[in-house]
Structures are given as C-alpha cells and as structure tokens.
Amino acid sequence: MMQKIFTGNNDHGKAKLLLLCVAFFLFFPLLSQAQKYNFTHYDIEDGLIQSQVNNLSLDNQHRLWIATYGGACRFDGKEFTSWARQNGMPGNFVNSVFIDKSDNVWFGTQSGLAKLTGKKISTFKLPADMGVGRVRNVVQDGNGTIWAIINSRLFKVKGNSANEVWVRDTIRGTLSCLFIHRSGRLMASLYRRGLYILDHGRW
C-alpha cells in the first residue's frame, strides 16, 4: 500500500515537471523575441572610405574613428569625414587609431605614425635603419607618454620623433601587444618571453 502511495506521488511530481517544461518552451520564444538588436550597415556608398575595417576608437565627443585599408574615417552618427595620403597621412593603410587624453587622434599606418591635432596632421621621424615603419599599436600611459609598436619593436614618442626603447635595456624581442594597466603603467607582451610591466622607469 505504501509503495502505491509513493508511486502516485512520484507520478504527480513528474506531471508537474512536464507542465513546467511545456510552459518554459512556450514562453522561451517570447523571451528570445524581446532580445532583438537592430543593426545598421555602413559601407562605401554611405561615405566610409574603405570597407575593410582594422580598428575602432571613440573620442571625447562620442564620435567614432575608423581605421581601414584605404585611410581613416570619423563618423558623427550622420556623416563620414575621411583622412588619407592626400590629407597628409603617411599612407592609406591604417592599422590602428587611438584617441589620447587631449583628444588628439593618432594613426598607426603601414608607413609610419601620424597625429591629428585640430585639422593638422603631423608625422614622426623614425630611425634611418627602420625602413618602412609599420605601426600596429598606440597607447598612452598614466603620465601622458605615447608608446607604439613599430615593426614589432617598442617606441616612445618624444617631441616630433619616436625613439626605440629596449625592454630591460637588453631585450629587443618581438612585441605582440601593448596595454595600459589601470594604475597607468605600461605593459608589454613579448613573443616567447612573456609579459613585462614598466614601473617607475624599471621593467
């Protein structure tokens, strides 16, 4: 008799579970529909200078800066404004775009480093033995210093030139990435050597 009562309760529990599952699957499509996102597609026809985008950045006025294979664009939500070789850029192939604390815009191109201040573009001198300066990454540390990866090596921008810096004064390895720690310190990732952090002038 006890066994029958237990089985009956178990069947009742199974029925509740089945009802819950049915309710969930009926309600789930409504949840899915509530999470729709609207996407807008922008291309050359809309004013984008080139359709292959390498990097994005946002300035202090909430305008979007876009690095492409054919130059750089600024998008204010309505119109695109473009910068390329004819505007003074060192090259049209732009790897990265970075906005510093003063709202200057830095362009890392396949042909060197450039900075847009207001409406003026300035370029930076590189060592003579550098050849073509492929700039992949630009960051600014807590002290306001601009750092860049150029030809897979670390450079510090000072004045109108960029000077190479060796990690630990001896390591001239291949850099893969730069990052600014929340404390404002520079972090550098070196291929097959690990991660280094610059703390008060010492790695």
Side-chain angles (χ1 to χ4, degrees):
M1 185 71 180
M2 286 181 68
Q3 187 176 3
K4 285 183 180 178
I5 292 169
F6 179 78
T7 306
N9 288 341
N10 195 26
D11 288 342
H12 185 66
K14 285 180 181 177
K16 278 186 175 179
L17 183 62
L18 181 63
L19 189 63
L20 268 167
C21 288
V22 169
F24 174 77
F25 284 113
L26 287 173
F27 187 62
F28 184 73
L30 296 174
L31 289 174
S32 298
Q33 288 175 4
Q35 294 179 358
K36 279 188 177 178
Y37 296 97
N38 294 322
F39 289 91
T40 304
H41 177 248
Y42 295 100
D43 212 326
I44 297 169
E45 293 80 12
D46 305 295
L48 187 64
I49 195 169
Q50 212 271 348
S51 60
Q52 292 174 285
V53 175
N54 295 320
N55 187 238
L56 300 169
S57 190
L58 202 65
D59 67 18
N60 295 333
Q61 297 177 52
H62 306 289
R63 297 173 300 186
L64 184 66
W65 290 83
I66 307 159
T68 79
Y69 283 6
C73 281
R74 183 188 68 205
F75 183 56
D76 62 7
K78 295 180 180 179
E79 294 181 340
F80 289 92
T81 306
S82 301
W83 284 265
R85 191 188 297 272
Q86 60 264 33
N87 307 113
M89 294 272 279
N92 286 338
F93 193 130
V94 184
N95 291 312
S96 63
V97 59
F98 172 75
I99 316 298
D100 69 18
K101 295 171 185 174
S102 302
D103 223 23
N104 298 309
V105 186
W106 296 79
F107 303 106
T109 79
Q110 285 288 92
S111 308
L113 180 65
K115 179 177 75 168
L116 177 65
T117 306
K119 294 183 179 180
K120 183 183 176 184
I121 289 183
S122 53
T123 56
F124 293 83
K125 293 177 183 176
L126 298 175
D129 64 341
M130 282 291 293
V132 178
R134 294 180 176 87
V135 184
R136 288 195 306 105
N137 199 185
V138 182
V139 296
Q140 184 177 34
D141 67 20
N143 296 321
T145 303
I146 297 291
W147 300 85
I149 295 178
I150 306 176
N151 289 1
S152 300
R153 285 142 64 180
L154 179 62
F155 280 78
K156 179 180 180 179
V157 177
K158 189 174 182 181
N160 67 342
S161 62
N163 304 305
E164 187 173 4
V165 175
W166 289 16
V167 177
R168 280 195 176 172
D169 298 328
T170 57
I171 302 173
R172 195 174 179 173
T174 300
L175 264 79
S176 55
C177 182
L178 294 179
F179 178 75
I180 302 302
H181 188 265
R182 62 185 176 185
S183 64
R185 294 176 294 175
L186 175 70
M187 301 180 77
S189 171
L190 276 84
Y191 179 64
R192 290 188 172 178
R193 289 186 177 269
L195 187 65
Y196 291 84
I197 186 163
L198 186 61
D199 188 13
H200 297 94
R202 297 183 63 184
W203 293 98

PDB file of all heavy atoms in Angstrom, residues 17 86 92 140 158 171:
ATOM      1  N   LEU A  17       6.593  18.475 -13.385  1.00  0.00           N
ATOM      2  CA  LEU A  17       7.818  18.755 -14.135  1.00  0.00           C
ATOM      3  C   LEU A  17       7.521  18.899 -15.626  1.00  0.00           C
ATOM      4  O   LEU A  17       8.027  19.815 -16.291  1.00  0.00           O
ATOM      5  CB  LEU A  17       8.845  17.648 -13.897  1.00  0.00           C
ATOM      6  CG  LEU A  17      10.217  17.838 -14.554  1.00  0.00           C
ATOM      7  CD1 LEU A  17      10.897  19.094 -14.009  1.00  0.00           C
ATOM      8  CD2 LEU A  17      11.097  16.620 -14.316  1.00  0.00           C
ATOM      9  N   GLN A  86      46.333  62.029 -49.316  1.00  0.00           N
ATOM     10  CA  GLN A  86      46.164  63.380 -49.867  1.00  0.00           C
ATOM     11  C   GLN A  86      45.928  64.439 -48.800  1.00  0.00           C
ATOM     12  O   GLN A  86      46.071  65.635 -49.058  1.00  0.00           O
ATOM     13  CB  GLN A  86      45.038  63.426 -50.914  1.00  0.00           C
ATOM     14  CG  GLN A  86      43.670  63.017 -50.410  1.00  0.00           C
ATOM     15  CD  GLN A  86      43.377  61.557 -50.694  1.00  0.00           C
ATOM     16  OE1 GLN A  86      44.277  60.712 -50.700  1.00  0.00           O
ATOM     17  NE2 GLN A  86      42.108  61.239 -50.940  1.00  0.00           N
ATOM     18  N   ASN A  92      47.887  55.150 -46.807  1.00  0.00           N
ATOM     19  CA  ASN A  92      46.441  54.905 -46.745  1.00  0.00           C
ATOM     20  C   ASN A  92      46.068  53.689 -45.900  1.00  0.00           C
ATOM     21  O   ASN A  92      44.948  53.597 -45.409  1.00  0.00           O
ATOM     22  CB  ASN A  92      45.875  54.734 -48.156  1.00  0.00           C
ATOM     23  CG  ASN A  92      45.797  56.063 -48.892  1.00  0.00           C
ATOM     24  OD1 ASN A  92      45.763  57.123 -48.285  1.00  0.00           O
ATOM     25  ND2 ASN A  92      45.786  56.004 -50.210  1.00  0.00           N
ATOM     26  N   GLN A 140      48.664  55.318 -24.475  1.00  0.00           N
ATOM     27  CA  GLN A 140      49.154  56.427 -23.659  1.00  0.00           C
ATOM     28  C   GLN A 140      49.137  56.004 -22.194  1.00  0.00           C
ATOM     29  O   GLN A 140      48.107  55.549 -21.685  1.00  0.00           O
ATOM     30  CB  GLN A 140      48.275  57.666 -23.854  1.00  0.00           C
ATOM     31  CG  GLN A 140      48.776  58.897 -23.121  1.00  0.00           C
ATOM     32  CD  GLN A 140      47.900  60.120 -23.405  1.00  0.00           C
ATOM     33  OE1 GLN A 140      46.694  59.999 -23.582  1.00  0.00           O
ATOM     34  NE2 GLN A 140      48.505  61.288 -23.444  1.00  0.00           N
ATOM     35  N   LYS A 158      58.560  61.225 -28.388  1.00  0.00           N
ATOM     36  CA  LYS A 158      59.054  62.410 -27.681  1.00  0.00           C
ATOM     37  C   LYS A 158      59.252  63.518 -28.705  1.00  0.00           C
ATOM     38  O   LYS A 158      59.998  63.347 -29.668  1.00  0.00           O
ATOM     39  CB  LYS A 158      60.373  62.098 -26.961  1.00  0.00           C
ATOM     40  CG  LYS A 158      60.829  63.209 -26.030  1.00  0.00           C
ATOM     41  CD  LYS A 158      62.046  62.797 -25.238  1.00  0.00           C
ATOM     42  CE  LYS A 158      62.458  63.890 -24.268  1.00  0.00           C
ATOM     43  NZ  LYS A 158      63.659  63.518 -23.486  1.00  0.00           N
ATOM     44  N   ILE A 171      66.544  43.530 -23.928  1.00  0.00           N
ATOM     45  CA  ILE A 171      65.677  42.673 -24.724  1.00  0.00           C
ATOM     46  C   ILE A 171      65.118  43.441 -25.921  1.00  0.00           C
ATOM     47  O   ILE A 171      64.401  44.422 -25.761  1.00  0.00           O
ATOM     48  CB  ILE A 171      64.523  42.103 -23.876  1.00  0.00           C
ATOM     49  CG1 ILE A 171      65.077  41.319 -22.689  1.00  0.00           C
ATOM     50  CG2 ILE A 171      63.624  41.205 -24.726  1.00  0.00           C
ATOM     51  CD1 ILE A 171      64.028  40.868 -21.702  1.00  0.00           C
TER      52      ILE A 171
END
